[in-house]
Amino acid sequence: MNLKRTNPARTWAIAAVAAIVLIGTGCHHKSVDDYLSAGDAAMQSTKLSEAETDYQEAAKIAPNDPRVHIALGNLYVFEHKPSDAQIEFMKVLEIDPKNAATHVALGNLYNDQNERGLAENQYRAAVALEPDRADYHLDLGEILRLEGKTAAAEDQIRTAIGLSPKDAKAHLALANLLATEPGRATEANAEFDEVRALDAKLMPAPAATTAGTTPPVQPDTTTASAPPAAGAAPQVKPLNKLFLLTKNSPVYQNPDETSSTIGQVRRKKYVHVTGIAGDYLQIRLKNGTTGFIPVSAAE
């Protein structure tokens, strides 16, 4: 019988090459972190369909990873798809019931839909999980105020102030609540004074004119030849980006903290930035209007 003898060295070499090929092939597979990073980059470039695709791929790989559902939930909130966002946030809480930030996100979602009872439940869950978070007590206090539960609202707002005495927004919330209570004007004014001392830009701008005075003449904006006056608001440079808010912020009518406040934005939400003017970002609100927030409010 004429049998060919196997060369051990050649067999080992072939096996080694095969292993390298397999390893190299495996390296091309994207991980959940790869898809999340790609989705975040797409979000920043306002490529929302690409972001959704990446996040969905991440969810296929790791359906029990809360991060993928948080990312999808934030995307759907930005796209004004509350039902889809609710589904994703609920998935997070099924996986991690003690995720306080997601309870707050779901509470914000319910609050935006005027589902105040449901919002209250979510804020209470967040407070129970992280009782040292002043902002969670403030969220609960504000929803209780909207529900007409004044005493409970005041208790939560004062708790927030106790945890964070220099929080101007908490003092403003208390001042606004006290201002609606008979016989508590003095307390309310004291809180308004505290707000002015801590963060004067939160207070409405004073009236430009008084009785019997002539309002200032506005410049003629139809002519472009005159140079801008000293102290004039900076020009808005176009921008098309999404930013994740790092803190709550008032939205100003103009890129000036003394201009009228036309809305509020919440931290942990994406905003569509359409321009930049000095230290302010121009953003588009849900109702289609534009306003300005400080650069410091966004990443």
Side-chain angles (χ1 to χ4, degrees), residues 34-269:
D34 292 332
Y35 279 115
L36 285 172
S37 296
D40 292 344
M43 282 287 288
Q44 292 294 325
S45 301
T46 64
K47 298 176 181 178
L48 303 185
S49 60
E50 289 185 21
E52 182 174 6
T53 298
D54 286 321
Y55 292 150
Q56 291 285 9
E57 289 298 321
K60 290 177 184 177
I61 296 172
N64 292 323
D65 188 332
R67 296 176 302 163
V68 302
H69 301 293
I70 290 170
L72 280 167
N74 286 334
L75 169 65
Y76 293 140
V77 167
F78 181 80
E79 292 185 312
H80 310 309
K81 298 177 179 177
S83 296
D84 291 336
Q86 179 183 336
I87 290 170
E88 295 302 327
F89 290 145
M90 291 300 294
K91 287 179 181 178
V92 174
L93 295 178
E94 288 173 5
I95 299 165
D96 181 14
K98 294 184 178 180
N99 191 316
T102 301
H103 281 291
V104 171
L106 192 54
N108 292 341
L109 192 62
Y110 287 137
N111 190 10
D112 290 342
Q113 300 174 80
N114 291 319
E115 297 282 358
R116 291 171 182 167
L118 295 175
E120 179 188 340
N121 292 339
Q122 295 301 322
Y123 293 146
R124 285 193 182 280
V127 166
L129 289 166
E130 296 188 23
D132 293 334
R133 287 287 298 263
D135 52 336
Y136 291 174
H137 286 279
L138 186 56
D139 287 335
L140 178 55
E142 285 288 83
I143 201 70
L144 289 169
R145 180 185 65 81
L146 291 173
E147 291 180 294
K149 302 174 182 178
T150 307
E154 181 177 347
D155 181 64
Q156 291 296 326
I157 295 170
R158 289 191 182 277
T159 299
I161 292 173
L163 290 167
S164 183
K166 300 300 183 181
D167 187 341
K169 293 183 179 66
H171 285 283
L172 181 59
L174 181 58
N176 287 332
L177 183 147
L178 294 172
T180 64
E181 293 286 285
R184 306 190 74 177
T186 301
E187 294 177 77
N189 288 333
E191 290 298 326
F192 282 127
D193 289 340
E194 188 71 17
V195 176
R196 292 187 186 95
L198 292 170
D199 192 351
K201 67 177 179 292
L202 292 180
M203 294 295 294
T209 60
T210 56
T213 62
T214 303
V217 177
Q218 297 297 318
D220 182 4
T221 57
T222 59
T223 58
S225 57
Q235 289 186 334
V236 179
K237 297 179 181 178
L239 195 63
N240 185 25
K241 292 283 186 181
L242 289 185
F243 286 89
L244 185 64
L245 296 176
T246 56
K247 61 183 71 173
N248 297 339
S249 175
V251 181
Y252 301 106
Q253 186 173 19
N254 299 307
D256 181 352
E257 65 184 24
T258 64
S259 67
S260 300
T261 300
I262 61 173
Q264 293 281 333
V265 289
R266 299 190 185 97
R267 62 186 178 83
K268 300 296 184 181
K269 284 193 173 183

